[in-house]
Structures are given as C-alpha cells and as structure tokens.
Amino acid sequence: MTSHLLAILLILGISMPLHAQENIPDPATAPDAAFGTADSPAPITERFAAPRMSRAERLAQVLPADTELQTFESGNETYYALIQLANAAESHGSILILPDIVSGEIWVEQSAHMRHYLADHGWTVLVMEMPLPAPPPIPERTLPLRVDPPVASDSAAPEPAADAGLTAAPEISSEPQPAPEPLPPYAQRISQRIGNGLEELRLRDTNAEEREVIIAIGSSAGWAADYIQQMPEQSRPSLLIIDPRPSRSAEQPDLLTSITSLRSLIIDLYHTPQPGQPVVTPDARQRQQAARRSAHPDYHQARISGSARGWNNPWLSRQVRGKLKRHLLDPHESDEYSEGIAPTEQRPPGRNPFSMDL
C-alpha cells in the first residue's frame, strides 16, 4: 500500500511542472502587446494633434481686453490693425500710428504704451501693421561652374529584359501648378494700408475728420509724408514723425521733398544719435533747413531727451501728447518750454524747471 502511494505521488510531481509549462507562452512566438498580430491586433491608442492657431488668434492672446483686433484683406494678403477707443465722452480726434517698417513682428509691442496713453487722454488710436519690403534679389552667379569629365566604362550596361516582370513607375503629372497671385507694388500696398486706417478711424470716431493725425515711426515717416502730399489740401491730416530714417525699399519717397511741399502741421521729434548707432540720413538739421527754406508755416522740431532705446516708453508717449496739445489742441497758448521763457512758478529744489509735467 505504501509503495503504491509513493508511486502515485512521484507521477503527480513529474506531471505538474509539465502542465504548467504548457500555459507559459513562448517569447519567440508570443504576440507583441504593442504591435499585435493578425489573430491578436494591438490596442488602438487615440492621439489628438495640438490645434494650429491662426495668426489672428495668436495676436488676440497677447492683447488686452480693451484693444480690438481688426482684420483687413486685399487679394491674397491679410494684415491687421489695433484699435483703442478714446476713454472720454468726446474725443479730441483720431490718430493713426504707423510703426517702423523694420519692426516686423514686434509692431504690437512697439506701439503698446503710446496706444494706451493717448487713448486714456482722449484720442481714438489705430495702429496699422506695415508690410515688410521684398528681400533684395540674389545676385547672379558669375563664377564658372565646375563640370567633371564623363567616366568611360569598359562595357555598356546590359539593357533589362522586356519580360523581367518589373512594374513601371507611375507617371508624374507634368501639368504646372498654379502660381500664387503676385503682390501689388510695395508703394501701392503701403498707400492702401494708410487709406484703410484713416477710413476705419472715420467710421469709429465722429471727430476724426476734424482732427486727424498720422504718427509715423522710423522708416514709415517718408511713406506717410508722401501719402499726405497726394491727398486734397483741405483734407490733409497732421503729421508727427519720430526718428525718421530711410527704408530698405528702393521705392521710398524723399522725405525732404515732402516736407518742403506740405503746408499742414508737421511735428518732428528725434533722439540725439548715440555712439555706435547708425547715422540717420537725412538728419534733423537737414529737415529743419529744408522747412525754413520753403517757409513752412507750421513745422516744429524738437529733440527728445535721452537715448533712443525703443519707442515703447512712457517718456516718449508724454512728449507726443504734449506736442499735440501745444500745436494742435491749444495752438494759441504760449509755450514756455519751446519758446525758452523761464517759468514764474517757484518749484522745489532739485526739480528741473523745464520738465514737462503732463
């Protein structure tokens, strides 16, 4: 009896590991959990691509809630403008700001403080995005090209047999793809944007036609002056230029010619050139001399203190507002700061008596 029991236990001990091994899958033939097989497909993982934001949506994310983004379309070109309504029951008028053309994508930041500051003091402001000029053409290659001599072969390559069973490659369509619509000339694109900005301001502000001002920064100054010169004399807006300089476009009109031809208000603000900064041509003295020779009746030039460290700063915004108040809103009031008359008010020591407290 004991021998029979031991024989049964021995048989069970040998068969149990063999039975367990039958349930362990072979690594060489087991299906991969990530890729699966024909009998056992892999689980489907849902992936969602990040939504692609349009340029208007990206601009809207960085703008405050009280700034309106306006979209303009012309042909196959889309551009934008920022509108800041006047924070007053009745505005002083409208201001169109033309950022520096070479500012590129930072045009929103360049005009941020001035846009808010002038709107807080009663002006309806529109900042127009300026187009970038076309890059200069690539010069034609003049050096001779290197041509390697053909390598002679001992025997010609055998032609493939006709019945080799090869499948012919699909034919590529030879139809030319439609070329994108060419952009209008650069001067026409700038004139269209300035005109759209002025028209939009007239729709937003009933006092726009009474007092219209174009503030042109950097390389936009020459284009703004030329546009005003082509307008009817009775409807020309005032012009305020800040640090005018030449544009990279060969089509840019001459600013000196426009200054001598215009008879409307021109306010010329400039920073003193600092060592290492590019020389501005034409410079402030040339513009002032051109205005004097032409006996311009309403040309005013002033130097902005401090170095030119960008146009998005409170000091420049206060200077712009002060000049507009002096020469446009209250042109008959005496200006002790530009006339050189010492103020009669006694001020505490250490304070500059000629500072503009606006």
Side-chain angles (χ1 to χ4, degrees):
M1 182 66 180
T2 303
S3 59
H4 288 290
L5 182 60
L6 292 175
I8 294 174
L9 293 176
L10 181 61
I11 294 173
L12 292 176
I14 297 174
S15 61
M16 286 180 64
L18 294 175
H19 180 70
Q21 290 179 359
E22 293 177 358
N23 297 328
I24 298 176
D26 187 1
T29 60
D32 194 341
F35 300 98
T37 61
D39 298 332
S40 177
I44 299 176
T45 303
E46 295 185 2
R47 297 181 179 181
F48 301 94
R52 300 185 62 180
M53 299 178 61
S54 64
R55 188 160 176 262
E57 293 173 338
R58 295 196 304 268
L59 287 173
Q61 280 191 339
V62 300
L63 293 176
D66 59 346
T67 300
E68 179 182 346
L69 180 65
Q70 182 72 24
T71 304
F72 295 92
E73 293 184 359
S74 174
N76 60 343
E77 188 177 25
T78 302
Y79 50 94
Y80 303 94
L82 310 179
I83 301 177
Q84 203 76 33
L85 298 179
N87 294 333
E90 184 176 355
S91 70
H92 298 311
S94 63
I95 295 178
L96 172 63
I97 298 180
L98 306 179
D100 190 9
I101 293 177
V102 298
S103 61
E105 293 296 330
I106 66 170
W107 66 279
V108 177
E109 179 184 357
Q110 184 185 88
S111 59
H113 189 277
M114 188 178 299
R115 182 180 76 246
H116 287 280
Y117 184 83
L118 294 176
D120 288 340
H121 290 83
W123 293 91
T124 298
V125 183
L126 186 145
V127 184
M128 177 62 69
E129 179 186 14
M130 300 298 287
L132 292 173
I138 300 176
E140 184 179 357
R141 183 183 179 93
T142 57
L143 296 177
L145 297 176
R146 176 181 175 181
V147 179
D148 296 332
V151 179
S153 58
D154 297 338
S155 59
E159 297 182 359
D163 55 349
L166 300 178
T167 304
E171 296 183 0
I172 301 177
S173 175
S174 60
E175 296 181 1
Q177 298 294 330
E181 181 181 352
L183 293 174
Y186 187 68
Q188 180 180 343
R189 295 167 62 196
I190 288 189
S191 298
Q192 186 176 35
R193 298 196 184 194
I194 297 177
N196 289 342
L198 293 175
E199 182 180 359
E200 185 68 25
L201 283 171
R202 291 166 186 167
L203 295 175
R204 300 298 184 102
D205 194 339
T206 56
N207 294 332
E209 295 187 8
E210 182 179 354
R211 291 193 188 96
E212 284 184 331
V213 182
I214 296 180
I215 298 179
I217 302 175
S219 52
S220 297
W223 296 104
D226 181 71
Y227 184 89
I228 296 175
Q229 184 181 355
Q230 299 177 18
M231 297 177 63
E233 188 172 355
Q234 64 275 10
S235 60
R236 290 178 177 176
S238 303
L239 176 63
L240 190 150
I241 56 179
I242 303 175
D243 293 328
R245 60 186 180 188
S247 171
R248 293 183 302 178
S249 173
E251 306 176 47
Q252 184 186 27
D254 184 27
L255 178 59
L256 288 180
T257 303
S258 300
I259 288 179
T260 56
S261 303
L262 289 175
R263 300 287 94 182
S264 54
L265 171 64
I266 299 178
I267 302 175
D268 185 352
L269 304 180
Y270 69 98
H271 289 89
T272 303
Q274 300 296 315
Q277 293 181 348
V279 179
V280 178
T281 306
D283 61 7
R285 180 174 296 179
Q286 287 178 311
R287 297 192 299 273
Q288 187 182 59
Q289 291 174 351
R292 288 178 177 177
R293 293 191 188 102
S294 62
H296 196 291
D298 212 1
Y299 175 87
H300 310 275
Q301 187 181 86
R303 181 178 63 86
I304 306 174
S305 3
S307 60
R309 297 181 179 178
W311 296 290
N312 186 30
N313 63 80
W315 172 249
L316 177 60
S317 301
R318 290 194 293 267
Q319 289 283 318
V320 169
R321 177 188 168 236
K323 295 302 178 182
L324 291 177
K325 183 176 185 297
R326 165 67 183 90
H327 299 293
L328 190 59
L329 299 182
D330 305 319
H332 302 295
E333 291 186 4
S334 62
D335 187 359
E336 60 186 37
Y337 308 107
S338 61
E339 301 288 344
I341 305 174
T344 57
E345 178 186 356
Q346 296 294 329
R347 306 199 179 188
R351 187 172 183 181
N352 184 4
F354 295 97
S355 64
M356 298 184 67
D357 187 9
L358 302 176

